[in-house]
Amino acid sequence: MGSTRTGRRWASAWVAGGLSLVLAVLSGYAAVGGWRQAGILDRVAADSGNTDAYQQVAFLAGWETALLQSALDEPTGPERRQVVEVGVLVRAATVKMAGVDRDHEQRAASIAQSRTELQPAIDTYLAQLRRGDTAGARATLETVIEPRSASLMGDVLTELNLHLAAHARYQAAAQHESRLLWWGGVASFVVGLIVLALFLFSIRSHRRRVETMAATDALTGLPNRAAFTARAGLASADGETDTTVLTVNLDGFRDVNEQLGHQIGDLLLIEAGERLRASMREHDVVARIGGDEFAVLLRDGDSALGEALAARLTAAFDQPFLIGEVTVDLEVSIGAATARDGDDVTTLLQHADMAMREAKEHRLGFHRFSGDHGQDTAARLTLLGDLRRALDSGGELTLHYQPKIAMDTGEVAGVEALARWQHPTKGWVSPGEFIPVLETTSLIHRFTDRVLRVALTQAREWLDGGHRVAVSVNISTRSLLDESFPDRVAELLTETGVPGDQLCIEVTEHSVMSDPATAIEAMRRIRALGVRTSIDDYGTGYSSMTYLKLLPLDELKVDRSFVQDMTNDRSDHALVESTVELGRNLGLTVVAEGVEDAATASALRELGCDVAQGFLYAKPMPAEAVTERLGRRTVESPA
Ligand code: C2E
Ligand code: CA
Ligand code: CA
């Protein structure tokens, strides 16, 4: 595609160059032609001067001859005097003629000379007439004057004809030349128009090229996020309510990128983009909207089509990728969302993204956004009202604690505080349900504050009871990115008198990556208080090696979706293994969460994982239950 485009650009450059050359030649020709025509016109003008002079001479000479003859018939008449006057005119005309004719200068001069030489004979003739010597005068006229003036007249007429012929020739040439010039002018005009059109065309295509570049992902050549959003926005502006968006994420791409290098990673993305494009239909918009994330815009009414196309897409990734010498297996997680009334592009993308994450987390391959996840607005508002009330009153919101077990000693290495809400009518509401609702409002700050205060108060109580048990608290994105959060943590530590190292904050990869600069700064400030920091749900996000090195970090918590199946699934096992390795290299504690059976525990121990957490050891429990357990000092390892 690229090479034909370049080819076309070259061809039009050549055409434009060629036409400009033609235009230059035509203009040159017009200039030379104009100059030549000016020359010809000069000649024509000169020639008409010549012919006029000869014509004058011929006329006057003819008149003189006639007067000479009449004078003989009537020697006393006025003709004799007139002969003298006309003779002067004839001589003057011959002199002028000799002066004007630059072509036949000599011949004109000799004609003038002959006329001068004839003058004595005419004078003699007039004297004879004056004397009344008619016979002598006749003899002079017939033998001397008439033959010589006849020959003179012959010469004049010959010259006159020559000049007339030349005049006609020049005039024809001038006509021919100006006709050529006219055609040249027409041709210049036409070529000029074509060059102008080509110029305008090339400006337009240049502009289009610039526009395309701004809207295109440089690596894959697919539209980028901005272009995708614009196209999807147009679709919804057209009133196409049935727009469906698929977001496609390459599972395990991050590992490939880290382990095999960015070059292979890039090639993989290009190839993945091509497969994606090929498995969709011509009119579907396929875009790359993030690192390893693609999106497809379907504008059909049939929502089941999303499922069909997703299946086709999944199948397209069954074949391993062959990049140079390397074979890579990649799977995709696909999320789908269909626009409902009032859904804008951003919402649609968000919904598809949520569905995609769901698909990824639960290894579904494909998942469609259902809407109940976000709850419908009315129910959401009721829930928010209830939460506000719960935050005000205090009793309904409590914390449970889940022990984290050191794998080498089996001792409690710490506990994770997990929020519990006892709703007056609904009973227990899971944090997975109410925390996302809280996060949509600034109530989340009050909530985080509450959790931190309760957890630290509990940690203080344990310290006072002689148990050094560090408490981990989950911090939602909004709180982490809130500018005053680190100061709030400091205040609460002072207030409860808990040393910083007895607190650990858990933040997810997603929240760090949503605004790395702010997140890193907040973590740095919190860590300066002695507080430990942990990346929760590790493996489900996008954090790269580079970011991990930059993050002020103490702990990595491998997401339970990888841990739970690691004894059966080779790639899950590989992820846990590489995380343990990474933790070791970066000096981080690695925690495996969601450990439910002994086989997983022993696999983790074999890999050298530091800490484990899960139902195998303990479910989240009220503080008193933990205190009781701590009383036993060590928790027996069931493995
Ligand atoms: P999380 O941080 O990943 O917390 C671990 C979740 O896994 C807890 O669910 C816990 O009960 C569950 N779990 C622990 N061991 C196992 C196991 O062996 N198997 C299985 N299947 N699950 C296990 P929970 O308490 O429902 O919390 C869900 C999520 O809600 C938490 O996930 C966390 O993201 C969020 N959350 C909980 N409390 C808070 C909080 O105080 N603040 C914030 N911001 N988020 C919280
Ligand atoms: Ca957690
Ligand atoms: Ca987790």
Side-chain angles (χ1 to χ4, degrees):
M1 209 169 103
S3 69
T4 53
R5 219 186 294 143
T6 321
R8 229 179 294 141
R9 228 175 285 154
W10 268 108
S12 76
W14 273 107
V15 170
L19 285 172
S20 304
L21 189 70
V22 170
L23 195 61
V25 168
L26 283 171
S27 316
Y29 171 77
V32 172
W35 179 70
R36 274 180 43 187
Q37 206 188 26
I40 290 170
L41 287 174
D42 279 352
R43 297 306 315 263
V44 171
D47 261 298
S48 64
N50 286 340
T51 48
D52 284 355
Y54 280 99
Q55 240 153 8
Q56 186 83 1
V57 171
F59 166 72
L60 290 170
W63 189 14
E64 185 180 43
T65 308
L67 285 174
L68 285 169
Q69 271 164 356
S70 307
L72 187 65
D73 296 340
E74 268 176 89
T76 53
E79 285 80 2
R80 224 179 57 212
R81 254 175 300 110
Q82 275 184 339
V83 165
V84 179
E85 287 159 21
V86 172
V88 172
L89 291 178
V90 172
R91 265 172 295 150
T94 56
V95 169
K96 184 183 172 201
M97 176 197 77
V100 163
D101 191 353
R102 300 245 161 270
D103 292 334
H104 306 150
E105 244 171 307
Q106 276 182 340
R107 267 182 276 167
S110 91
I111 290 171
Q113 182 64 30
S114 316
R115 178 58 190 78
T116 311
E117 284 166 3
L118 184 61
Q119 194 56 42
I122 292 174
D123 291 343
T124 308
Y125 170 70
L126 291 175
Q128 284 170 326
L129 281 181
R130 239 183 348 260
R131 287 200 308 270
D133 179 5
T134 312
R138 180 180 303 276
T140 306
L141 182 66
E142 286 176 359
T143 57
V144 185
I145 298 175
E146 274 179 355
R148 280 165 69 183
S149 54
S151 120
L152 186 136
M153 184 61 103
D155 287 348
V156 168
L157 290 177
T158 306
E159 280 302 306
L160 176 61
N161 283 334
L162 281 175
H163 281 288
L164 278 174
H167 182 71
R169 253 196 338 271
Y170 285 129
Q171 219 154 18
Q175 253 163 18
H176 177 69
E177 199 73 30
S178 66
R179 216 170 294 132
L180 278 183
L181 275 178
W182 186 83
W183 280 114
V186 169
S188 303
F189 180 69
V190 170
V191 173
L193 275 185
I194 295 173
V195 170
L196 183 71
L198 272 177
F199 177 67
L200 291 177
F201 172 78
S202 82
I203 284 183
R204 215 184 52 172
S205 68
H206 175 74
R207 203 176 43 209
R208 210 178 288 155
R209 219 154 48 231
V210 170
E211 279 165 8
T212 312
M213 264 159 68
T216 303
D217 167 50
L219 186 65
T220 58
L222 294 172
N224 57 21
R225 182 182 272 273
F228 182 83
T229 316
R231 300 275 282 273
L234 280 181
S236 60
D238 287 350
E240 293 179 24
T241 44
D242 293 309
T243 311
T244 295
V245 165
L246 303 180
T247 52
V248 182
N249 191 276
L250 308 182
D251 296 341
F253 173 76
R254 200 171 47 83
D255 294 335
V256 174
N257 214 24
E258 268 171 23
Q259 285 160 21
L260 303 177
H262 289 277
Q263 225 171 347
I264 299 226
D266 284 355
L267 292 173
L268 207 56
L269 284 173
I270 294 170
E271 167 94 30
E274 277 167 11
R275 284 196 194 181
L276 198 55
R277 180 65 270 180
S279 55
M280 294 293 133
R281 298 155 310 165
E282 190 63 35
H283 60 276
D284 299 330
V285 181
V286 177
R288 179 174 173 227
I289 58 167
D292 60 349
E293 200 159 324
F294 296 84
V296 184
L297 177 69
L298 311 172
R299 297 160 71 171
D300 308 78
D302 184 5
S303 66
L305 209 80
E307 273 75 356
L309 285 172
R312 200 154 92 188
L313 213 156
T314 311
F317 280 74
D318 280 348
Q319 284 284 333
F321 288 81
L322 203 78
I323 311 285
E325 307 275 283
V326 195
T327 308
V328 183
D329 281 295
L330 272 190
E331 284 178 10
V332 285
S333 291
I334 305 167
T338 299
R340 291 169 305 183
D341 287 340
D343 281 352
D344 61 4
V345 189
T346 319
T347 314
L348 201 54
L349 260 173
Q350 246 167 20
H351 289 169
D353 212 53
M354 279 163 74
M356 184 271 288
R357 284 187 208 292
E358 194 87 356
K360 206 178 180 88
E361 187 178 351
H362 301 291
R363 298 289 152 110
L364 303 171
F366 174 84
H367 187 65
R368 177 177 276 283
F369 178 78
S370 56
D372 13 309
H373 196 84
Q375 318 217 339
D376 74 285
T377 326
R380 225 181 152 87
L381 287 176
T382 316
L383 200 70
L384 265 179
D386 292 349
L387 276 166
R388 190 171 284 119
R389 197 183 26 74
L391 277 169
D392 289 340
S393 67
E396 293 170 24
L397 286 167
T398 53
L399 289 182
H400 276 192
Y401 301 88
Q402 186 177 32
K404 294 159 83 177
I405 309 300
M407 295 220 79
D408 51 355
T409 62
E411 283 188 27
V412 176
V415 291
E416 176 177 7
L418 292 158
R420 295 292 177 260
W421 183 20
Q422 171 84 64
H423 190 277
T425 54
K426 291 189 187 127
W428 289 109
V429 182
S430 124
E433 200 174 318
F434 70 81
I435 285 170
V437 178
L438 272 177
E439 276 177 330
T440 61
T441 74
S442 56
L443 274 187
I444 188 69
H445 299 315
R446 278 184 64 194
F447 174 78
T448 304
D449 218 85
R450 162 77 64 86
V451 172
L452 271 172
R453 185 192 296 275
V454 173
L456 286 173
T457 308
Q458 187 57 57
R460 182 70 253 173
E461 213 169 281
W462 281 323
L463 277 175
D464 294 342
H467 307 293
R468 278 187 75 82
V469 50
V471 184
S472 293
V473 174
N474 295 285
I475 306 298
S476 62
T477 312
R478 266 185 87 164
S479 297
L480 177 71
L481 301 180
D482 179 41
E483 215 187 321
S484 62
F485 180 65
D487 293 336
R488 199 57 204 129
V489 174
E491 277 166 30
L492 286 167
L493 285 173
T494 317
E495 211 176 285
T496 53
V498 175
D501 65 356
Q502 293 303 291
L503 175 67
C504 174
I505 58 158
E506 293 190 7
V507 294
T508 64
E509 265 188 297
H510 291 300
S511 69
V512 172
M513 296 316 283
S514 67
D515 182 357
T518 311
I520 289 172
E521 172 62 10
M523 287 168 80
R524 200 190 51 71
R525 284 170 62 195
I526 290 165
R527 212 156 164 260
L529 303 167
V531 175
R532 289 163 48 84
T533 56
S534 172
I535 289 285
D536 204 357
D537 302 347
Y538 180 76
T540 59
Y542 307 100
S543 57
S544 66
M545 191 63 181
T546 330
Y547 267 115
L548 282 182
K549 276 189 199 151
L550 284 177
L551 287 176
L553 212 57
D554 299 285
E555 185 182 273
L556 283 181
K557 286 187 89 168
V558 191
D559 190 67
R560 67 169 180 274
S561 62
F562 301 104
V563 175
Q564 258 156 3
D565 222 16
M566 66 177 282
T567 50
N568 301 318
D569 188 310
R570 286 208 12 232
S571 65
D572 283 358
H573 188 276
L575 186 123
V576 177
E577 186 174 10
S578 72
T579 311
V580 170
E581 182 71 25
L582 184 69
R584 194 174 295 138
N585 289 337
L586 297 178
L588 307 175
T589 306
V590 176
V591 181
E593 61 177 23
V595 182
E596 293 181 352
D597 54 60
T600 307
S602 76
L604 286 165
R605 197 171 293 111
E606 219 165 90
L607 290 177
C609 180
D610 307 299
V611 176
Q613 181 182 350
F615 294 168
L616 173 67
Y617 304 100
K619 291 203 166 178
M621 58 183 90
E624 308 79 65
V626 177
T627 313
E628 198 207 317
R629 247 192 145 135
L630 289 169
R632 288 191 253 137
R633 295 209 57 83
T634 55
V635 177
E636 279 163 42
S637 167

